[in-house]
Amino acid sequence: MVRFTAKKIQPQNLGEILKRTREEIGSSLDEVSRITKINKNFLKALEDGDYSRALDGLYAERFLKIYTDYLNLEFSPLWQLYLKEKKLWGKDSTSKFVKVIALRNLLDIPKIIKICFIGLVVVAMFVYLGWEVRKIFLPPYLEVISPADNLVTSVSTVEVAGKTEKETIVSINGQEISSDRDGSFREVVNLKEGLNIIKISSKKEHSKESIIYRQVMVEINN
């Protein structure tokens, strides 16, 4: 009866050990897979050191035990080597992943700048449109220069003058008056004896109305 002695393992990469030993005994991966019933992809992943395709836990331990028995290798040191290399691969792959992401971010900087620029332009357009729409509905600016409020006079007329925005409709006591191109207006208003309340208003086509009141007291001395 021929007795086999387990071969001593020199410090090497696990995949190199398995592949070199398999080639020494003249077995192909297809043959090993057929005899051991281990998926060929798992065997190749082990020999390539590709732990992204390697199994975990009991399945990995069981299949590696079957493979090392087939190759007549000591299982325990190879299993420890497997665990060590898989742990190191996990850290290295995470580092590579972070580097790839960082590199992609660097490569995409022009694209990011372009997207940010387009976004700023779109936001600016919406802000501008919003402001223009707001201007349409806001009451126009209105300033009454004369008469002064709570004016006391002895004459029966008073000049109402002021300034508003261009292209607005100016009214005094509900009566529309004309205004200059720059929004200035001037109109003489008849007064009655006693308290007179003058309503000056300015309005754009779709806006709310700006209103200012002036009180004028007429005291006629007999």
Side-chain angles (χ1 to χ4, degrees):
M1 180 178 178
V2 179
R3 298 189 62 184
F4 294 94
T5 304
K7 299 177 183 178
K8 296 295 182 182
I9 304 303
Q10 300 299 324
Q12 297 179 67
N13 174 278
L14 175 61
E16 292 175 354
I17 296 171
L18 297 175
K19 184 176 181 180
R20 178 176 54 78
T21 306
R22 175 179 60 76
E23 290 176 345
E24 284 179 357
I25 64 176
S27 296
S28 66
L29 282 176
D30 289 325
E31 184 179 2
V32 175
S33 177
R34 178 175 55 81
I35 295 173
T36 62
K37 308 301 181 185
I38 300 173
N39 188 289
K40 179 182 175 181
N41 291 331
F42 174 70
L43 296 172
K44 191 171 188 317
L46 281 174
E47 292 189 357
D48 292 343
D50 184 1
Y51 290 97
S52 65
R53 294 186 296 154
L55 298 174
D56 289 317
L58 293 175
Y59 287 105
E61 183 178 7
R62 178 187 172 207
F63 289 148
L64 184 60
K65 179 68 168 63
I66 294 172
Y67 194 16
T68 53
D69 285 349
Y70 176 85
L71 298 174
N72 197 31
L73 296 172
E74 292 182 75
F75 166 71
S76 182
L78 291 180
W79 173 242
Q80 295 304 315
L81 185 57
Y82 172 87
L83 295 175
K84 180 180 178 181
E85 288 183 5
K86 193 171 190 307
K87 184 177 181 180
L88 291 174
W89 177 89
K91 292 180 180 178
D92 187 56
S93 63
T94 302
S95 176
K96 288 179 180 178
F97 177 76
V98 172
K99 289 178 181 177
V100 169
I101 294 299
L103 180 60
R104 286 179 178 175
N105 287 340
L106 288 175
L107 293 176
D108 287 345
I109 283 178
K111 184 177 180 181
I112 293 172
I113 293 175
K114 183 179 179 181
I115 292 173
C116 290
F117 177 75
I118 293 173
L120 287 174
V121 171
V122 171
V123 170
M125 287 178 60
F126 275 109
V127 171
Y128 173 76
L129 290 173
W131 175 250
E132 289 300 313
V133 171
R134 186 169 178 265
K135 282 172 61 179
I136 292 173
F137 295 101
L138 276 177
Y141 164 80
L142 176 62
E143 178 186 9
V144 176
I145 300 171
S146 68
D149 197 19
N150 298 316
L151 174 68
V152 178
T153 181
S154 60
V155 298
S156 59
T157 61
V158 69
E159 184 181 67
V160 178
K163 191 169 184 179
T164 184
E165 295 179 18
K166 295 184 292 184
E167 300 178 356
T168 57
I169 301 170
V170 181
S171 299
I172 297 178
N173 291 334
Q175 195 73 31
E176 187 176 326
I177 65 170
S178 61
S179 59
D180 297 337
R181 290 184 177 180
D182 64 351
S184 299
F185 60 88
R186 192 177 298 273
E187 186 77 10
V188 175
V189 176
N190 294 321
L191 301 173
K192 64 181 181 179
E193 187 176 359
L195 179 63
N196 293 263
I197 298 177
I198 303 173
K199 175 185 176 183
I200 305 103
S201 66
S202 177
K203 184 180 183 300
K204 291 181 287 187
E205 186 177 358
H206 299 290
S207 75
K208 294 181 179 180
E209 194 175 37
S210 289
I211 301 174
I212 295 178
Y213 292 95
R214 286 289 185 262
Q215 296 187 52
V216 180
M217 177 66 73
V218 178
E219 294 180 349
I220 300 177
N221 296 321
N222 296 323

